[in-house]
Amino acid sequence: MNKEKLKKRIDAANKQTKVDLVIRHASIVNVFTKSLTTGDVAISDGVIVGIGEYEGIQEIDATGKFVAPGLIDAHVHIESSMVTPQQFSQVVLPHGVTTVITDPHEIANVSGTAGLEFMLKDSEASLLDIKVMLPSCVPATLFETSGAKLSAEQLAPFLDRPQVLGLAEVMDFPAVLRGEDAMLDKLLLSQQIDGHAAGLSENDINVYGTAGILTDHECVTKEEMIMRLERGLYVMLREGSVAKNLHALLEGVTEKNAQRCLFCTDDKHLDDLIEEGSVDYNVRVAIKQGIEPITAISMASINAAQCFGLRQKGAIAPGYDADFLLLDSLEEFRISEVYKDGQLAAQNGHYMGPIGEKCETSAVQNTVRIAAIPIDSLQIPMGHSTQAHVIGINPNNLITEHLIEEASVNNGFFVSNTSKDLLKIAVIERHQATGNIGLGIVKGLGIKNGAIATTVAHDSHNIIAVGTSDEDMKTAVEALHKLKGGLAIVQEGKVLASLSLGIAGLMSEEPFPAVYEQLKTLDQSLLKIGAPTHFNAFLTLSFLSLPVIPHLKLTDCGLFDVTSFQHIEVAVAAE
């Protein structure tokens, strides 16, 4: 800020000039005193300059309404919405989200620094305030093939960008525990570091804290949450499309510890964002579950701002950015209008802001490169064994079970069995056309006849496919190759529905309404092949390749036991 701009703001605050906008007669949600206060909210130059009595060039009578700070999603992967940052902005602003902290490690695992550049440039053109944490683990582990590798040296130049806040979720805990040089170099890049503490013990959390890691969004029980809070971490209460931990964790939130609790979505599908909401949903659930409304709003605003050092965000107070909401109801958290930098951004659930120009995407296109897939390359040898290590799905949870199941075997090879809900699953390397294919067995997806495949497969985003026959799986994978990335559903050799995700195989170039309609078509086709309705089959499938979440996962190099942190055979050794 220059001297002239500062003088202008001071004059407005001191009533020497009219302010740009005054909100009159609303009750003000004060996140500092956890109370409702009164007074005009005066705004000039996109900043709140006073609370009191002011004259404005524009004045809004907000009688009967509440003024609350704009919401902050403390940890989100925008790529999981399958639309670009600009389109994502238009989706979440009507839900009261004015700032997000994003980790673009999905696109970075595919396209490296070119992916980071795309996300930064497209974010700059959006009305939403998009802050970036630099991906710390590309690849997430060394037990899979990713499209890129990012060292501390490659990340360092991005720290000078105004959008960049620090280092994103540190998933490779073994590297932290061992104090590996490459990890230490990354940890020393910033003092703002996010964690990823799935399944870690008390002593592991000690190590994380000692390493300078400040947050965790992987808690699934209130006991885990409290243990992290006691050791000084901020805890993000996550409610995404697959990982739904909010209800369980709210049981551990009290007025004494709430100031260290934030809300996040992590990974949320476009249809869920549109129909359910972003962290505004977290706020409403928290209030219904007994959290005081202003405390819940604070968890979605000032708490996140303080965690990430965003000194001008998260409150209705002089000197803070004029990112605010007008609420018709505090108890129901019903949003009527959303303002960003003092300008109307959304009204009654509809985006009202500017539409930016499309960002150039050529550097993040054509990322699906696969070798030929002979049908026999999808066979799982069982030898003399009929028992298999099986990935057991927990609906709406990232954690899987490590099951031992009696498998159907024909001529020494596993055969999918829909009556037992044991299906073949494959991860096909798609970055370098190595021909790597990891094979496994999954229980719980419920598909009765057909196959699905996607290039959205956390975190290395190889192709992941599951089906009742090898032929349908192969057809689905080949459909993705033609699409240059996306989602596909196949039955009896026919593609029933698909969605093209041409940007790194993760995001569409189309406007969000068109992508939403295609997702609805995919949902109908999932019903045709017998997929369950109580969880999203594609999203669940996309996390079965994530080898940093317990207990059993699949990479392009084979079946991975997260507990022992090594690959294992599918067939249980015969005694």
Side-chain angles (χ1 to χ4, degrees):
M1 186 195 313
N2 59 37
K3 187 185 294 186
E4 182 180 349
K5 179 173 285 191
L6 179 58
K7 178 66 163 60
K8 179 182 176 183
R9 291 181 183 179
I10 290 173
D11 287 345
N14 200 29
K15 305 179 184 179
Q16 300 300 303
T17 60
K18 280 189 176 183
V19 299
D20 296 334
L21 173 66
V22 175
I23 309 296
R24 295 195 186 280
H25 306 136
S27 295
I28 300 167
V29 174
N30 193 307
V31 294
F32 302 116
T33 63
K34 300 295 188 294
S35 64
L36 293 175
T37 57
T38 58
D40 297 342
V41 180
I43 296 146
S44 271
D45 196 28
V47 173
I48 297 169
V49 296
I51 308 291
E53 295 183 4
Y54 284 85
E55 291 186 29
I57 298 169
Q58 179 187 2
E59 297 184 358
I60 295 174
D61 184 354
T63 300
K65 296 183 184 293
F66 301 84
V67 181
L71 307 183
I72 301 173
D73 188 337
H75 176 73
V76 61
H77 304 286
I78 291 174
E79 304 97 310
S80 291
S81 70
M82 294 184 287
V83 293
T84 62
Q86 287 193 59
Q87 292 295 311
F88 176 83
S89 170
Q90 295 177 41
V91 173
V92 300
L93 273 163
H95 289 281
V97 179
T98 54
T99 301
V100 301
I101 317 297
T102 190
D103 170 11
H105 77 202
E106 316 296 357
I107 196 169
N109 268 288
V110 177
S111 301
T113 55
L116 295 184
E117 285 288 357
F118 168 75
M119 295 297 281
L120 286 164
K121 288 179 181 177
D122 201 69
S123 295
E124 287 172 358
S126 75
L127 182 59
L128 180 71
D129 208 340
I130 299 175
K131 302 298 184 182
V132 174
M133 301 289 277
L134 297 177
S136 66
C137 297
V138 176
T141 71
L142 299 178
F143 300 98
E144 56 190 328
T145 306
S146 68
K149 294 181 180 180
L150 291 179
S151 65
E153 185 178 10
Q154 290 169 295
L155 294 172
F158 288 95
L159 288 168
D160 293 331
R161 306 285 273 271
Q163 290 165 275
V164 174
L165 299 181
L167 191 68
E169 54 181 313
V170 178
M171 294 179 286
D172 191 355
F173 173 73
V176 178
L177 188 65
R178 293 190 293 265
E180 294 179 3
D181 281 350
M183 177 55 70
L184 295 178
D185 289 340
K186 290 177 182 177
L187 293 171
L188 290 170
L189 286 174
S190 174
Q191 292 185 327
Q192 189 75 47
I193 308 173
D194 276 341
H196 179 285
L200 298 192
S201 68
E202 289 187 10
N203 193 65
D204 295 339
I205 299 299
N206 292 338
V207 174
Y208 251 36
T210 302
I213 293 167
L214 302 173
T215 72
D216 181 39
H217 60 273
E218 292 292 342
C219 297
V220 297
T221 67
K222 70 175 183 179
E223 290 78 17
E224 286 184 333
M225 182 183 79
I226 291 168
M227 185 256 284
R228 285 153 177 75
L229 289 173
E230 289 175 344
R231 281 158 180 76
L233 296 187
Y234 282 92
V235 171
M236 300 178 186
L237 285 70
R238 171 177 60 188
E239 189 75 2
S241 288
V242 175
K244 298 179 182 292
N245 310 124
L246 181 61
H247 288 272
L249 296 181
L250 283 170
E251 295 292 337
V253 177
T254 69
E255 287 298 319
K256 290 183 178 180
N257 66 24
Q259 76 275 8
R260 302 291 289 187
C261 297
L262 324 175
F263 286 135
C264 79
T265 58
D266 197 6
D267 296 279
K268 202 158 190 179
H269 237 209
L270 178 65
D271 49 358
D272 287 334
L273 286 169
I274 291 172
E275 296 167 11
E276 184 178 81
S278 176
V279 291
D280 59 314
Y281 174 81
N282 299 40
V283 173
R284 283 190 289 273
V285 169
I287 294 170
K288 287 180 181 178
Q289 205 160 317
I291 303 297
E292 288 293 327
I294 297 179
T295 298
I297 292 168
S298 298
M299 291 166 67
S301 55
I302 191 66
N303 293 10
Q306 290 179 343
C307 174
F308 288 96
L310 302 175
R311 295 175 58 189
Q312 292 179 287
K313 293 191 178 296
I316 306 299
Y320 282 73
D321 291 345
D323 300 346
F324 63 92
L325 321 176
L326 292 184
L327 306 174
D328 289 331
S329 167
L330 189 64
E331 293 288 339
E332 296 177 6
F333 198 70
R334 192 165 65 247
I335 302 168
S336 62
E337 295 179 359
V338 180
Y339 288 79
K340 181 75 184 72
D341 299 325
Q343 302 296 316
L344 182 65
Q347 189 170 42
N348 298 322
H350 299 285
Y351 180 73
M352 305 291 286
I355 307 297
E357 291 186 9
K358 273 190 172 183
C359 186
E360 174 62 44
T361 63
S362 59
V364 288
Q365 294 275 6
N366 300 311
T367 62
V368 180
R369 309 174 189 92
I370 60 173
I373 306 173
I375 198 69
D376 60 4
S377 67
L378 298 177
Q379 291 186 334
I380 301 175
M382 294 297 294
H384 298 292
S385 178
T386 59
Q387 288 196 315
H389 297 281
V390 173
I391 301 169
I393 288 173
N394 285 311
N396 301 317
N397 198 317
L398 299 186
I399 295 175
T400 60
E401 300 300 327
H402 184 165
L403 306 176
I404 304 294
E405 295 278 335
E406 191 71 21
S408 298
V409 178
N410 184 21
N411 294 325
F413 297 99
F414 167 75
V415 180
S416 291
N417 186 324
T418 55
S419 64
K420 292 184 177 180
D421 197 10
L422 295 176
L423 303 179
K424 186 176 294 183
I425 181 172
V427 174
I428 295 101
E429 193 278 322
R430 63 102 163 177
H431 304 293
Q432 303 164 28
T434 63
N436 285 2
I437 300 178
L439 297 169
I441 303 170
V442 63
K443 182 174 185 176
L445 270 178
I447 294 171
K448 301 301 182 186
N449 180 20
I452 63 175
T454 173
T455 49
V456 180
H458 303 276
D459 275 333
S460 289
H461 298 292
N462 290 300
I463 293 175
I464 188 166
V466 66
T468 59
S469 76
D470 294 351
E471 290 76 16
D472 277 355
M473 290 175 67
K474 175 179 166 70
T475 300
V477 171
E478 290 173 343
L480 296 185
H481 189 216
K482 292 177 183 177
L483 287 171
K484 300 181 179 180
L487 286 68
I489 302 173
V490 169
Q491 188 177 62
E492 297 177 358
K494 179 183 176 182
V495 178
L496 299 182
S498 63
L499 170 63
S500 175
L501 301 176
I503 300 175
L506 301 173
M507 292 175 285
S508 172
E509 291 193 77
E510 294 192 67
F512 78 84
V515 179
Y516 176 69
E517 289 303 317
Q518 291 175 73
L519 286 172
K520 296 284 98 179
T521 301
L522 283 165
D523 287 344
Q524 292 302 311
S525 294
L526 284 172
L527 295 177
K528 292 179 182 178
I529 66 171
T533 57
H534 61 292
F535 64 89
N536 187 296
F538 271 113
L539 268 170
T540 300
L541 179 64
S542 72
F543 283 98
L544 297 185
S545 56
L546 183 57
V548 293
I549 300 284
H551 288 95
L552 201 61
K553 296 295 168 71
L554 183 68
T555 78
D556 66 302
C557 299
L559 193 62
F560 191 76
D561 183 347
V562 181
T563 302
S564 62
F565 229 63
Q566 64 182 2
H567 286 104
I568 61 174
E569 296 294 329
V570 174
V572 175
E575 296 182 359

